[in-house]
Amino acid sequence: MTDLPRIEIHYCTQCRWLLRAGWLAQELLSSFEAEIGEVALRPGTGGVFEIRAADVLVWERKADGGFPDAAELKRRVRDVIAPDKPLGHAERKTAGQGPAASDGEPATDAAATGAADQGSVK
């Protein structure tokens, strides 16, 4: 049997980032339950928040400008450990589909647009 990859989340205990690390670990375990062997939470200090997949750095808070959202992290982890795995709705969210994807704003549905228009009529 082939060993499955390990995910490591190195987080700052001084900053109290355990809950964030745990939540992201849960998200990864749910999405990659058949593709990963373990998720490890590694306490650290000094503002560290790094995530490695199979020893490849996929997120670093300081270099990447903050914390990842779950969808972006899943894409980066997927690209390392399971490049052919579809991510479903998490992938479609930023795949550039639809007219609103180009401006970064979420698309509105017809019902919401109609409701807004009706409110402006006197």
Side-chain angles (χ1 to χ4, degrees):
M1 181 177 170
T2 305
D3 288 334
L4 294 173
R6 176 180 200 255
I7 308 295
E8 179 182 288
I9 302 175
H10 191 192
Y11 67 95
C12 180
T13 57
Q14 295 169 317
C15 304
R16 306 273 188 231
W17 290 337
L18 173 60
L19 289 178
R20 183 184 307 266
W23 170 68
L24 289 170
Q26 175 187 333
E27 288 289 321
L28 294 173
L29 285 167
S30 296
S31 295
F32 299 101
E33 57 190 19
E35 292 84 11
I36 58 177
E38 69 177 294
V39 175
L41 299 180
R42 187 174 143 218
T45 57
V48 66
F49 197 88
E50 298 174 350
I51 302 172
R52 296 180 185 278
D55 292 324
V56 174
L57 184 65
V58 295
W59 192 271
E60 182 183 10
R61 183 189 64 82
K62 292 175 184 175
D64 289 307
F67 298 97
D69 66 9
E72 176 63 21
L73 179 60
K74 289 176 187 181
R75 281 190 292 278
R76 290 186 184 196
V77 168
R78 184 270 317 268
D79 291 348
V80 172
I81 67 168
D84 296 327
K85 180 180 179 71
L87 292 176
H89 71 280
E91 197 163 41
R92 287 191 298 270
K93 210 180 208 181
T94 59
Q97 296 178 358
S102 61
D103 64 7
E105 294 296 319
T108 58
D109 63 1
T113 304
D117 291 342
Q118 289 176 4
S120 62
V121 176
K122 293 185 179 184

